[in-house]
Amino acid sequence: GVQGFIFDLDGVLTDTAEFHYRAWQRLADEENLPFDRQANEALRGVSRRESLLKIVGDRPYSEAQLQAMMDRKNHYYVESIQDIAPTDLLPGARELLNELRQAGIKIALGSASKNARPVIEKLGIADLMDTIADGHSVERPKPAPDLFLFAANQLGLQPDQCVVVEDAAAGIEAAIAAKMLTIGLGPVKRVGAADVVLPDLEGVHWADLQAKLNAAKR
Ligand code: BG6
Ligand code: MG
C-alpha cells in the first residue's frame, strides 16, 4: 500500500508558479525575447537552465550570458518570494499534510527549485516534511525520475509505495518514469497522464485519495 507522499512545491502547495512566470517574463521583455503565458506552459516544473534554454531557443548566447540571465531571473524570483507567509499555502494543502501525517504516511518535498527550502520555511510547513528533495539534490532534472527516486530513498521507501503530487506535465512524466502513483493537479490537458486528476487540493482527503488511487491501479 501507499506509505509515502512526495509533494511538488511550486503550483501544488503554493502559487509560486506565477512568480516564476513573472520573473521569466520580466527577463524576456528586457532581452526582447518573445515570451508569454502560453509559452510559459512548457516551462512549468522545468529546471532554471532548461527553462532559459527554451526561452532563448537557437539564439547564440555564450555560457556567461546564459549564466547572467539565470542569475537575473533568480534575483527577480527571490525578490518576489520574500513576503510569502503561511496564508500563501493553497487551500487544502495544510489539512492534507496534517491528515497524512496522522495516518502515519511519510511526506517528502520533491521540488526542482533551488529556492524550495526558504519557501517552505516561510510557508511554515518545513516541520511537516520528513525529507526535502530540491534543486540541489540530483543532477538530472524532471522529467528524469531522479529527484523522486532520491526522495523515496530518503524516506526509506520503494517507488511503488510512493504517490507523487504534481501540477506540471514534466513532473507527472518524471513520476511515471520513477514507477510511482501520480496525482495531477490542474487541467487534463496538462496533467492528464496522471492516475488521478484533480483541480487542486481543496477539500481533498486521504480516504478519498486512497479509494481513487486503488481504482486507478490495474
Ligand atoms: C520548479 C518550478 O519547481 O522549479 C520551475 O516549477 C522552476 O518553474 C524550477 O524553473 C527551478 O526553480 P529555481 O528556483 O531553482 O530556479
Ligand atoms: Mg510545480
Side-chain angles (χ1 to χ4, degrees), residues 101-166:
R101 284 192 74 84
Q102 270 156 31
I105 305 279
K106 293 235 176 305
I107 298 174
L109 192 74
S111 169
S113 176
K114 294 190 161 97
N115 297 294
R117 214 172 258 277
V119 171
I120 64 163
E121 274 159 18
K122 287 175 194 292
L123 289 171
I125 54 169
D127 294 350
L128 298 177
M129 302 289 159
D130 292 294
T131 191
I132 292 166
D134 64 13
H136 302 284
S137 302
V138 298
E139 279 292 317
R140 287 196 305 166
K142 303 171 188 177
D146 306 32
L147 184 75
F148 293 140
L149 292 172
F150 176 89
N153 190 54
Q154 291 285 110
L155 293 179
L157 298 176
Q158 296 301 314
D160 64 0
Q161 296 175 306
C162 296
V163 179
V164 170
V165 188
E166 261 288 351

Side-chain angles (χ1 to χ4, degrees), residues 8-12 45 166-168:
D8 175 49
L9 174 63
D10 300 320
V12 167
E166 261 288 351
D167 70 314

Side-chain angles (χ1 to χ4, degrees), residues 53-189:
L53 293 179
K54 281 182 198 281
I55 293 173
V56 303
D58 52 16
R59 292 171 189 81
Y61 284 104
S62 69
E63 177 55 32
Q65 286 174 313
L66 292 173
Q67 195 56 57
M69 285 193 281
M70 284 191 280
D71 290 349
R72 186 137 53 96
K73 181 270 176 179
N74 191 55
H75 178 79
Y76 299 153
Y77 179 70
V78 168
E79 234 172 41
S80 67
I81 61 174
Q82 288 319 304
D83 297 335
I84 286 183
T87 49
D88 291 310
L89 270 173
L90 285 169
R94 182 183 295 279
E95 292 79 355
L96 182 61
L97 289 170
N98 280 328
E99 208 178 288
L100 290 170
R101 284 192 74 84
Q102 270 156 31
I105 305 279
K106 293 235 176 305
I107 298 174
L109 192 74
S111 169
S113 176
K114 294 190 161 97
N115 297 294
R117 214 172 258 277
V119 171
I120 64 163
E121 274 159 18
K122 287 175 194 292
L123 289 171
I125 54 169
D127 294 350
L128 298 177
M129 302 289 159
D130 292 294
T131 191
I132 292 166
D134 64 13
H136 302 284
S137 302
V138 298
E139 279 292 317
R140 287 196 305 166
K142 303 171 188 177
D146 306 32
L147 184 75
F148 293 140
L149 292 172
F150 176 89
N153 190 54
Q154 291 285 110
L155 293 179
L157 298 176
Q158 296 301 314
D160 64 0
Q161 296 175 306
C162 296
V163 179
V164 170
V165 188
E166 261 288 351
D167 70 314
I172 296 292
E173 202 182 323
I176 291 172
K179 300 199 160 56
M180 296 178 182
L181 283 165
T182 50
I183 297 172
L185 303 183
V188 167
K189 193 166 172 284

